[in-house]
Amino acid sequence: MSDAPAEATVLDEIIAGVREDLAVREAQVSYEEVCAAAQAAPAPRDPMPGFRAAGISVISEVKRKSPSKGHLAEITDPAALAQSYARGGAHAISVLTEQRRFNGSLDDLRAVRAAVDTPVLRKDFMVTSYQVQEARAAGADLVLLIVAALDDADLKALYDEAIGLGMTVLVEVHDEEETRRAVDLGAELIGVNARNLKTLAVDNDTFGRLAALIPDDRVKVAESGISGPADVERFAREGARVVLVGEALVKDGDPEAAVRAMTGIKG
Ligand SMILES: O=C(O)c1ccccc1NCC(=O)[C@H](O)[C@H](O)COP(=O)(O)O
């Protein structure tokens, strides 16, 4: 076995940047203040009844830029984009709040939350309690926890904290081992992300492979690389109740129609 240090993955690099930005925010707003703001925030909206209803639900994403594709779309008014997603029937709206690689922010999330009645997901690289509290303080109804970014103890602590604040947690997996950890955690909402975090390539066979390991009483979400209704039909047949779509929607000239074409598809 080689003694060489393991090469940093894209995920490691993203999280290193997230921690630096977090240190700046923590110096500006204390943990106690952010917890108080989370308590004072409007009550969280519950996406689960919508996700469990018949037909596919769509989580539509506000995404400007990404490590895999670079610039995707000029989104000057995230609230207006979210309103068109909502008109198209989106069951939830994902807002990428990571700044360095995705050009997002918590201000985007606040603007979206104020503009729609739909539940809003903070999609970020959550590794600390502070981030969970600031998500709720900004109005998030759901948070993402990426299993690959957390050991079991931190995964459980952040999961319990978010649930304790009344939020829904989307627990994201990329391989068999992570799927087992998400199932053992008791996660009700499990997202299979088809984007390999080492190569950034999307493999559309990932969802079916990992969905088979998730009990059917959980809500299964297919994430990444979904380009249109044909992909949605495939993932619905493979057991997805929900799809999470970013690039295809932000690049579509008519996002409302693009969401409408994906919602309600039967498995
Ligand atoms: O999108 C990326 O390049 C990316 C790279 C590394 C970590 C996460 C990344 N994306 C976050 C997401 O999970 C996607 O934004 C989401 O699943 C939507 O994907 P898509 O429909 O392919 O834009």
Side-chain angles (χ1 to χ4, degrees):
M1 213 164 73
S2 160
D3 287 339
E7 224 177 285
T9 63
V10 177
L11 184 62
D12 296 331
E13 287 167 11
I14 294 173
I15 290 173
V18 162
R19 285 190 186 279
E20 283 180 27
D21 291 345
L22 185 57
V24 174
R25 297 200 299 283
E26 283 170 332
Q28 290 164 346
V29 182
S30 72
Y31 180 69
E32 289 68 28
E33 285 169 320
V34 86
C35 291
Q39 291 301 323
R45 302 165 181 161
D46 183 0
M48 295 310 289
F51 290 167
R52 286 193 178 279
I56 279 276
S57 298
V58 178
I59 304 177
S60 306
E61 188 154 277
V62 176
K63 181 177 188 181
R64 293 191 176 88
K65 172 180 157 187
S66 76
S68 59
K69 301 283 176 76
H71 174 82
L72 295 172
E74 201 63 47
I75 302 173
T76 51
D77 189 347
L81 177 61
Q83 285 169 333
S84 50
Y85 288 160
R87 283 195 302 273
H91 288 79
I93 294 172
S94 165
V95 181
L96 271 158
T97 56
E98 197 278 339
Q99 207 249 313
R100 296 182 185 211
R101 302 296 195 102
F102 295 88
N103 205 12
S105 69
L106 281 167
D107 283 343
D108 286 348
L109 189 139
R110 286 185 198 96
V112 166
R113 182 56 159 70
V116 295
D117 294 329
T118 315
V120 177
L121 165 70
R122 180 183 188 187
K123 195 132 194 318
D124 208 315
F125 299 83
M126 314 285 279
V127 285
T128 68
S129 162
Y130 187 99
Q131 291 166 291
V132 172
Q133 296 286 338
E134 72 178 355
R136 185 74 278 278
D141 306 291
L142 303 92
V143 287
L144 178 78
L145 293 179
I146 302 174
V147 174
L150 298 162
D151 63 26
D152 277 342
D154 286 344
L155 178 62
K156 180 161 172 40
L158 297 184
Y159 183 86
D160 288 348
E161 182 169 359
I163 297 286
L165 287 168
M167 290 190 285
T168 300
V169 183
L170 174 58
V171 178
E172 181 179 283
V173 301
H174 297 82
D175 62 22
E176 282 77 359
E177 172 61 13
E178 291 171 21
T179 304
R180 185 193 58 71
R181 291 176 59 203
V183 171
D184 289 353
L185 176 70
E188 189 186 0
L189 185 65
I190 301 181
V192 173
N193 198 323
R195 183 172 284 108
N196 181 313
L197 286 177
K198 295 192 181 85
T199 63
L200 296 185
V202 167
D203 176 357
N204 276 345
D205 292 337
T206 309
F207 180 78
R209 208 179 72 239
L210 301 187
L213 308 176
I214 303 172
D216 287 336
D217 62 341
R218 316 296 175 91
V219 173
K220 306 177 195 184
V221 185
E223 300 179 41
S224 293
I226 294 165
S227 59
D231 289 336
V232 177
E233 278 165 22
R234 170 185 174 171
F235 295 131
R237 278 196 304 277
E238 293 177 347
R241 277 186 172 275
V242 183
V243 291
L244 192 155
V245 190
E247 179 178 349
L249 297 180
V250 298
K251 286 175 135 177
D252 198 295
D254 188 346
E256 176 181 336
V259 174
R260 189 170 293 117
M262 292 181 187
T263 52
I265 287 173
K266 300 272 190 299

